[in-house]
Amino acid sequence: MKFSFQLYSARNFQPWSEVLSSLSDLGYRQVEGFGGVYENPASIKAMMDDNNLSMPSGHFDIAALENDFAKVDEIAGIFGISKIVCPFLQPGSRPETADGWRDLARRLSAVSDTVSTSGRSFAWHNHDFEFEATPDGHIPMQVLLDDAPTIEWEADLAWIVRGGSDPFAWIEKYGDRISAVHVKDIAVEGDCMDEDGWADVGQGTMQWHRLFDAVRNRSRCELFVAEHDNPNDLNRFAGRSIEAMRSFWELANV
């Protein structure tokens, strides 16, 4: 099992050379890319090489995937990315009906076909809005998975909880689609308000000891990715999180 780190979590702790050195010192060997590290990919890749880090997965927005895949393919090639992930839709771009989500599923299927020609896999990364029912009662995440059967799922389990759903039920039903998991934690209500209510992995309310066991038994996850949307101490978060992920994985394999 690979334990990775979403570099978006470190966007406020520059320079990247120090970030990557710190992550390596803490024991990470994989990182996950996002738009902020793609402007000069050769430079970032050289820093990663200096710190014995690889990038098996990377986030790319839907506009780039649909309109400039040649550039995405070039960046992915420089970093050695094998899993391309579409991570987000801006509020104004989110469908409001089940038919709108079905149309998005068709678009994602087309992207998946394009990505597959490069020899890479393609996954969708969820937030909370995919679990908010449409006016006619459909759950967008279910529409995407059912109507785009070739895409994989990078499941952000804490966002499922914030979306009002049960992550265990989704793992049970769609585990065969889960190829990566974002590992983040939700603080006790009223705590960590300066960090948007997120906690370091293992320090919050998520039942990660049980979730790791469910993921191990019910999914095809090959990558756990630590993430915090707004940490106020990068090394604290990154260090606690890799220790917690290793511990949860060992317990899941007992």
Side-chain angles (χ1 to χ4, degrees):
M1 180 56 62
K2 296 177 181 178
F3 301 109
S4 185
F5 184 93
Q6 170 51 254
L7 291 175
Y8 179 80
S9 306
R11 68 196 182 281
N12 296 323
F13 298 91
Q14 300 303 296
W16 286 116
S17 58
E18 294 182 9
V19 167
L20 296 171
S21 177
S22 295
L23 293 175
S24 180
D25 289 345
L26 289 168
Y28 289 93
R29 291 296 171 261
Q30 291 84 30
V31 293
E32 184 170 74
F34 78 110
V37 298
Y38 296 154
E39 291 184 5
N40 192 346
S43 175
I44 299 294
K45 180 60 166 63
M47 295 177 201
M48 288 170 50
D49 290 345
D50 289 342
N51 289 286
N52 195 27
L53 293 167
S54 64
M55 188 180 287
S57 60
H59 285 192
F60 294 87
D61 67 50
I62 193 167
L65 290 166
E66 290 187 314
N67 302 319
D68 195 4
F69 184 74
K71 185 64 175 179
V72 172
D73 188 47
E74 177 187 355
I75 293 169
I78 292 171
F79 282 115
I81 293 170
S82 58
K83 185 185 303 298
I84 288 175
V85 184
C86 188
F88 189 66
L89 287 178
Q90 295 294 336
S93 299
R94 297 170 191 171
E96 297 180 354
T97 65
D99 284 343
W101 285 101
R102 292 187 187 101
D103 180 64
L104 176 62
R106 286 191 288 271
R107 292 166 59 194
L108 295 179
S109 291
V111 170
S112 179
D113 290 344
T114 301
V115 171
S116 68
T117 65
S118 71
R120 300 180 178 90
S121 62
F122 174 67
W124 177 263
H125 172 86
N126 69 277
H127 286 75
D128 54 348
F129 60 85
E130 295 95 330
F131 300 89
E132 299 171 3
T134 61
D136 52 0
H138 288 80
I139 302 299
M141 194 69 227
Q142 183 172 347
V143 174
L144 291 182
L145 292 171
D146 289 350
D147 284 54
T150 65
I151 69 171
E152 298 177 4
W153 182 14
E154 182 179 68
D156 191 314
L157 303 183
W159 274 123
I160 294 178
V161 172
R162 281 203 168 179
S165 288
D166 177 3
F168 292 99
W170 284 88
I171 295 169
E172 179 69 26
K173 186 172 183 179
Y174 290 104
D176 63 333
R177 305 290 292 280
I178 297 174
S179 61
V181 166
H182 262 213
V183 184
K184 62 205 304 180
D185 219 327
I186 300 173
V188 174
E189 187 173 358
D191 287 354
C192 303
M193 299 304 292
D194 61 334
E195 297 181 285
D196 298 339
W198 300 110
D200 300 340
V201 177
Q203 304 296 310
T205 59
M206 293 288 291
Q207 300 179 60
W208 278 115
H209 60 295
R210 292 182 56 215
L211 287 165
F212 265 66
D213 188 64
V215 168
R216 182 181 71 84
N217 286 299
R218 298 294 184 182
S219 82
R220 56 189 181 101
C221 177
E222 57 196 10
L223 190 64
F224 285 109
V225 185
E227 185 184 42
H228 190 310
D229 285 8
N230 189 29
N232 58 26
D233 186 320
L234 177 63
N235 286 343
R236 183 210 70 215
F237 161 66
R240 281 180 169 179
S241 297
I242 194 169
E243 290 179 7
M245 289 192 296
R246 287 172 171 166
S247 176
F248 294 142
W249 182 249
E250 289 176 4
L251 289 172
N253 283 276
V254 172

